[in-house]
Each structure stands twice: as C-alpha cells, then as structure tokens.
Amino acid sequence: MSTKKITVNTLMDMKNKGEKITMLTAYDFQMASLLDQCGIDMILVGDSLGNVMLGYENTIPVTMNEMIHHCKAVTRGAKNAMIVGDMPFMSYQINAEQAVENAGRLLKESDVEAVKLEGGEEVLEAIHKIVQAGIPVMGHLGLTPQSINKFGGYGVRGEAEEEAQAMLSDAKKLEEAGAFSVVLEKVPAKLAKSITDAINIPTIGIGAGVNCDGQVLVTHDMLGLFEKFRPKFSKRYAELAKEMKRCYSQYIKEVKEKEFPSQEHSF
Ligand code: KIV
C-alpha cells in the first residue's frame, strides 16, 4: 500500500519493476478520501460523472465547469494518490491552443495533477502542446466514449487487424507526443499486451485483460451503486445500491411508525 505522494516518476518506476498500478474513479470528497486511505495509486475524475453523478445518457454533455466542480471536491479529499481530471468533449478537439487553455484551467482551478483526453493521431498536437505547458497528459485509446456517435455503440475496439495495428501505432505516437500513460478501454487482451510491451509508458486497462501495467474501473460499477447497466469487464465487489435502498426503506418505515427517533436519539 502506498503512503507517499504518487507522481509520474512513481508510475514509471512501477512499470519498470512490474508492480501493478491501481486506479479508480471518484467524483466527490468522501469517495476520494476513502480511496486515498486505502492506498489507491491514482484517482480519475472521469467524465463518466456525466452518467453516474449527473444522470446524462452519455459523456457528451459534460462541461468544463462541471469537471472543475467535481475535481475540486476530489482534490480536497486525497493527499497521496495522483489525481487525473478528464477533459470533457469539445474542450480539446477544436485546436491545440484551446486544449492548453482548458487543461490549464483544470489544473489551476481544481488542483488536479494531470489531465486525460481521448483519441490517437487526431489529438497529438494538443497533447504535445499541453505537455509543453508543463501539464502531464494521460491518453485514452480503444473505446473512447466521447466518440460514441461515430462508433455507433460501446463494443470492443481493435478486433480487426487493421484497427489493432492503428491502435498500436497510436499508442507509440502518444508516447512520442509526451503522454505519461495511456488508458486502454475495451480492447482484446492480446492487443493490450502487445501495446503494453511496445511502449515505455504505463498502460492502464479497463476491459483490456490482465497484462496492462495497471487497472481502472468506474467506482460506481465496482460497488454496485449504478444499477442502469452492468459492464462485463467490471467486477462487482459489493451491492451498495441494494444496501442503500434497504436502509432508506427501513428509515421511512421507522419514521412512519414512530420507531425513530427513540429515547436513545432524543434529548
Ligand atoms: O470517464 C471515465 O471514467 C473513464 C474511465 C472509464 C477510464 O474514462
């Protein structure tokens, strides 16, 4: 379990030593604080907050202001984990200057230590300029949910040989552009291993098999808090939605039946 501040250098050391990197998402102070207390290496304030916190259908509507609001809460809760904030849709695609400006806003206004953005070849210039400005960038290849309308679904990416080769080439280019790490989402395990072996920066998998340098999951999925869908790649470590509903129902019943508050909870 880590008790020291995790930096990009720590992550490189971990890859070189073959020590697995752990990452989970958080969107608020309390979740971040619990994750940090348990020794998580990295916390991602993912734009998945659009789905699990704000009730959007997908991540497309998430704004810079919404990201900053949640990133601020997370950075107040975690001291040791490295905190990465997602760049929302259309905050980096228009041009590299706007990408630098928005990455800078995330760092200055919310205190995250790095940003993540989705894509390969098409975002290299943005990555290069953000890194030049002194901001660590995490890439994201494979299933990139901000492009859901282009893909037309949330299926596995890189099954066809041509797409697999393009992803491998993109991963190398992300490293060359200065990314410190890359998320591989919903990618065949064999391809994820080839990418992991081919680049010097850590790969963090989600639905990409055991051979990535690290793993990330959406906290709400692994805790069984988000009931709307159940991704195959996300192991459920608890059924918190069920447990919360049990507590809420019991409270409602006890108040209605004047069982709560009892003497013990009264003055
Ligand atoms: O937004 C998010 O939570 C993510 C993870 C799924 C990697 O990008």
Side-chain angles (χ1 to χ4, degrees), residues 64-218:
M64 276 298 296
N65 287 345
E66 285 166 343
M67 285 309 306
I68 288 168
H69 176 80
H70 287 272
C71 285
K72 279 166 96 166
V74 168
T75 55
R76 285 193 286 263
K79 298 286 160 268
N80 296 323
M82 177 168 182
I83 304 174
V84 181
D86 246 342
M87 306 262 312
F89 182 57
M90 278 301 134
S91 66
Y92 58 92
Q93 288 91 343
I94 295 167
N95 58 52
E97 287 66 37
Q98 198 186 47
V100 177
E101 200 172 313
N102 282 321
R105 269 196 77 194
L106 265 183
L107 260 76
K108 279 173 82 94
E109 294 179 40
S110 74
D111 215 19
V112 296
E113 289 138 348
V115 299
K116 174 168 83 58
L117 51 85
E118 298 180 4
E121 179 90 47
E122 68 283 8
V123 293
L124 292 180
E125 196 192 340
I127 294 183
H128 183 66
K129 290 252 166 71
I130 298 171
V131 173
Q132 267 190 333
I135 301 171
V137 177
M138 184 174 221
H140 185 154
L141 296 173
L143 174 67
T144 47
Q146 290 175 14
S147 303
I148 178 63
N149 291 314
K150 186 171 95 181
F151 294 146
Y154 289 99
V156 177
R157 309 301 311 178
E159 280 180 320
E161 185 54 26
E162 201 180 324
E163 198 186 2
Q165 285 307 323
M167 207 185 297
L168 179 60
S169 155
D170 275 345
K172 290 179 183 166
K173 287 179 189 162
L174 291 184
E175 179 180 9
E176 273 163 33
F180 72 93
S181 172
V182 56
V183 166
L184 300 176
E185 180 165 355
K186 268 192 133 177
V187 170
K190 199 165 154 237
L191 173 60
K193 180 174 179 346
S194 305
I195 295 175
T196 303
D197 292 344
I199 61 177
N200 298 302
I201 55 173
T203 57
I204 309 293
I206 172 162
V210 75
N211 288 309
C212 294
D213 297 305
Q215 297 291 330
V216 59
L217 286 177
V218 170

